[in-house]
Amino acid sequence: MTAHTAVPVRERSTWTPKLLPALLVCLAAPVLFVVQIVWLGWVLLALAVASGVLVDRRLGVATVPRRGGGADAPEPSIARDVSLVALGQFIVSLIPLHAELDNAAFVRFTLALGGAVVVPYVISRFVYRDRAIAFPWRGGGRWTWWQWAWLAGVIVLGYLILPFYFITSGVYMNWPVVNTPDLIARLFVGVGAVGIWDELFFICTVFVLLRRHFPDLTANLLQAIVFVSFLWELGYQAWGPLLTIPFAIVQGFLFLKTRSLWYVVTVHLLFDAVVFGVLVHAHNPGAASIFLI
C-alpha cells in the first residue's frame, strides 16, 4: 500500500474505535510542543500505541506483520501506523525547538528532524513491510493553471499578512538576531530546510498514515494538530495559530488534490521565503525594505 492508497472510502469512518489512538497520538503534540510537559506527552504516545493494539485485537487485524506474508490484512493496523507517528514525535521531542543558528543547533536539528522522517520510513518499509510512507516528488503530472495561480497567491498573501503578524505581535524575537551576511545565510538555509521537513513529516508521514483509517477531512484535521503544535514551539506563537491552522489544512488538501510532494514543498518554500524576508527586515529595521510595515 503506497502513500496515496487508503482504505476505500466506504470502509473509512471517523467514529470508530480507531479514533481513540489517533486522537491520543495527535493530542500528544500540543502537550510536547505547546505546554511542553514532555513526560506527559510521552505517556500519551505510549497510550496511543497501547490503545491501538487493543483496537487491532478487537477488529481482528494483525498488529505484528506475519512472517513472509507482508501486510495482507483486510485493513491496515492502526497500532502500526500510530506507532510510526508516535515514534516521529518522540524523536523530535528529544531536542528543544527554539530557533538557533549555531553549528550545534544545525547538527541537533538535522539529527532529530531527519530521524523523525527516516526512522518511521525504514520501519514501515523493512519491518512492517507495508510501504505506507512514500515521497512522491514527481507525482501528479504537469501543474495546472490554478496551481500556478495559487503559487502567486501565496506570495501575495504572505506579503500582506506576515509582516503585520511577525512585527506587531513581536514573535520575530523568537528567532535570533540576523545582522551579518553569515547569520542571514544560516537563517535562509534553516527556514527552508525546516519548511521541507514539515511536508515530509506532517503530510507524507502523519497525514498519509492517518488517512489509511479515516476520511480525508478527519485525517487532515488530525495532522493539523501535530503540524501547528510543532510550529508553535518553533516560534509561531501569539495569534500565529490563526495562520498556521489554515495553512496546515490547505497543505493537506493540496497534497490530496495534486498528488505532488514537489508542489506542496514549493508552496511552503515560497511562504517561507517571505518569512525569511520579514525576519531579516524585523531585525534590521533601519535597512531598506520592500515591506509596508
Side-chain angles (χ1 to χ4, degrees), residues 147 149-166 171 175 187-188 190-196 198-199 227-228 231 234-237 239-251 254 262-280 290-291:
Q147 288 175 264
W150 179 242
L151 295 182
V154 166
I155 297 174
V156 173
L157 289 173
Y159 178 81
L160 295 176
I161 298 172
L162 291 176
F164 179 78
Y165 163 61
F166 277 97
V171 297
W175 280 261
L187 178 68
F188 180 80
V191 168
V194 172
I196 295 172
D198 287 343
E199 304 306 325
F227 201 146
V228 172
L231 291 180
L234 191 65
Y236 292 84
Q237 298 174 9
W239 50 275
L242 295 179
L243 301 178
T244 56
I245 289 173
F247 181 79
I249 293 172
V250 167
Q251 286 295 90
L254 289 174
W262 177 239
Y263 183 75
V264 295
V265 165
T266 301
V267 170
H268 202 132
L269 289 180
L270 287 175
F271 192 81
D272 280 351
V274 182
V275 170
F276 163 76
V278 172
L279 291 174
V280 173
I290 63 172
F291 298 106

Side-chain angles (χ1 to χ4, degrees), residues 31-43:
V31 176
L32 290 169
F33 307 124
V34 179
V35 298
Q36 297 181 34
I37 306 176
V38 176
W39 68 266
L40 181 57
W42 290 351
V43 169

Side-chain angles (χ1 to χ4, degrees), residues 176-257:
V177 175
V178 284
N179 53 11
T180 67
D182 176 65
L183 289 174
I184 291 174
R186 285 172 175 265
L187 178 68
F188 180 80
V189 172
V191 168
V194 172
I196 295 172
W197 178 86
D198 287 343
E199 304 306 325
L200 296 178
F201 184 66
F202 300 117
I203 299 300
C204 287
T205 303
V206 178
F207 180 43
V208 161
L209 291 171
L210 291 174
R211 72 179 292 263
R212 283 159 42 102
H213 305 274
F214 303 103
D216 294 339
L217 177 59
T218 302
N220 204 10
L221 292 174
L222 288 170
Q223 71 84 17
I225 296 173
V226 188
F227 201 146
V228 172
S229 299
F230 171 85
L231 291 180
W232 176 274
E233 185 176 351
L234 191 65
Y236 292 84
Q237 298 174 9
W239 50 275
L242 295 179
L243 301 178
T244 56
I245 289 173
F247 181 79
I249 293 172
V250 167
Q251 286 295 90
F253 169 78
L254 289 174
F255 184 71
L256 287 178
K257 187 72 173 178

Side-chain angles (χ1 to χ4, degrees), residues 49-98:
V49 177
S51 62
V53 172
L54 294 177
V55 171
D56 277 349
R57 290 182 178 178
R58 176 178 175 179
L59 298 176
V61 176
T63 299
V64 179
R66 296 179 179 88
R67 183 179 298 275
D72 55 359
E75 57 182 297
S77 161
I78 186 66
R80 292 185 209 170
D81 291 339
V82 162
S83 72
L84 298 176
V85 176
L87 182 58
Q89 290 190 73
F90 171 76
I91 294 172
V92 174
S93 72
L94 295 176
I95 68 167
L97 295 176
H98 303 298

